[in-house]
Amino acid sequence: QKEVEQDPGPLSVPEGAIVSLNCTYSNSAFQYFMWYRQYSRKGPELLMYTYSSGNKEDGRFTAQVDKSSKYISLFIRDSQPSDSATYLCAMSAPGSARQLTFGSGTQLTVLP
Amino acid sequence: ETGVTQTPRHLVMGMTNKKSLKCEQHLGHNAMYWYKQSAKKPLELMFVYNFKEQTENNSVPSRFSPECPNSSHLFLHLHTLQPEDSALYLCASRQAGTEGSNTIYFGEGSWLTVV
C-alpha cells in the first residue's frame, strides 16, 4: 500500500463547477498537509498549507483535513479554465520536515 | 518567478555525455533538494542538503552526483545516463526552523531527455 493515495484522474469539469480533490494516507504521524498546483511543463507551486485537522480557506480554495479518517481534500469553487493543472497533495510528520511524501497528482481540466 | 531558478530548462544528452543541472535559490533558505518527476509517478526525493551538508541520498545511482558549494547553489552532475533517466528534475528549497518550514518551494524544473 502506498503511503499516500491520490486518484490520478483525469478529471474534467465545466467552468464554474465546484471541484473536489482528495488524498488518503496511512501514516498517522503526518501533521503537516500541503497542496501544490503544477501547470504543464512547470514546477509545482505551493497552493495551501495546513497544520493538523480543520479547514483553511484562501479565496476560491478550501483545504480540509480529517485526521481521524486520514483524508484530506481541496475544494475549488467557481472553477476557471486557468485552474486546469495537476494538483499534488503532500504531507509530512514532525521531526521529518526535510522530507515530504507526495501523492501522484490529479490532472484537472476546467472546460470553458 | 518562484525564487528558485533552474538551468537549463531543457537538456538532451547522449548516454555517454557528461552534463550538469544548476539550481540557485534567492529565498535565503538553508536546505536544498533534488527531486525526480516521471510521468504518472509521485515525486521521488533524490538528495537533501542542509546547510551545504548532504543529509540524504535516497539510493540514487552513482551516475547522478550532487554538489552544493554554498546554501544558495546546488548542482546535479550527470554522466553515462540511461534512457529511463529521462524525466523532469526539480530543485527545491526550504527554510528550516520557521513557521511553515515543512513547505518547500520548487523551481521550474529541468526537462532531461536521454537518447
Side-chain angles (χ1 to χ4, degrees):
Chain A
Q1 182 190 11
K2 293 180 184 176
E3 213 167 2
V4 178
E5 298 273 3
Q6 184 175 10
D7 186 341
L11 177 63
S12 291
V13 300
E15 183 175 355
I18 296 175
V19 177
S20 173
L21 304 168
N22 312 294
C23 288
T24 59
Y25 62 94
S26 57
N27 187 347
S28 57
F30 287 146
Q31 295 272 7
Y32 305 94
F33 304 92
M34 286 134 277
W35 286 95
Y36 286 83
R37 177 175 62 195
Q38 185 173 21
Y39 290 114
S40 179
R41 306 190 74 80
K42 298 281 191 178
E45 58 176 321
L46 180 66
L47 199 57
M48 299 285 280
Y49 168 77
T50 310
Y51 170 69
S52 196
S53 285
N55 293 0
K56 184 173 184 178
E57 189 173 321
D58 184 1
R60 296 184 295 109
F61 298 90
T62 299
Q64 284 188 353
V65 175
D66 182 348
K67 291 187 67 183
S68 62
S69 302
K70 297 190 182 68
Y71 187 88
I72 69 170
S73 300
L74 177 71
F75 296 96
I76 308 174
R77 291 185 301 280
D78 188 25
S79 56
Q80 304 294 310
S82 58
D83 295 326
S84 299
T86 296
Y87 289 81
L88 304 164
C89 64
M91 46 199 80
S92 69
S96 67
R98 62 181 180 274
Q99 186 165 344
L100 297 180
T101 301
F102 285 87
S104 54
T106 299
Q107 185 181 344
L108 171 68
T109 301
V110 180
L111 303 169
Chain B
E1 178 60 46
T2 67
V4 181
T5 304
Q6 290 187 242
T7 55
R9 293 294 317 281
H10 300 272
L11 177 63
V12 179
M13 60 186 289
M15 288 189 284
T16 58
N17 291 159
K18 288 186 180 181
K19 297 285 185 183
S20 295
L21 306 181
K22 178 183 175 182
C23 177
E24 181 176 2
Q25 58 97 358
H26 312 275
L27 301 170
H29 290 170
N30 53 25
M32 297 186 76
Y33 307 74
W34 281 114
Y35 280 86
K36 176 183 178 183
Q37 188 175 36
S38 304
K40 306 297 183 186
K41 294 175 67 175
L43 286 165
E44 300 173 48
L45 178 65
M46 300 176 71
F47 300 104
V48 181
Y49 279 83
N50 283 294
F51 298 96
K52 303 189 303 177
E53 300 299 320
Q54 184 176 319
T55 55
E56 284 198 43
N57 174 343
N58 269 14
S59 303
V60 180
S62 60
R63 57 186 184 270
F64 295 92
S65 173
E67 178 190 359
C68 188
N70 55 60
S71 312
S72 300
H73 293 85
L74 185 64
F75 295 89
L76 187 63
H77 303 300
L78 315 169
H79 63 99
T80 60
L81 295 191
Q82 305 298 310
E84 60 264 29
D85 296 322
S86 300
L88 177 66
Y89 289 84
L90 291 161
C91 174
S93 70
R94 179 180 78 91
Q95 179 60 27
T98 60
E99 176 67 25
S101 64
N102 294 73
T103 59
I104 62 174
Y105 296 86
F106 289 92
E108 297 282 39
S110 294
W111 283 94
L112 173 66
T113 303
V114 181
V115 297

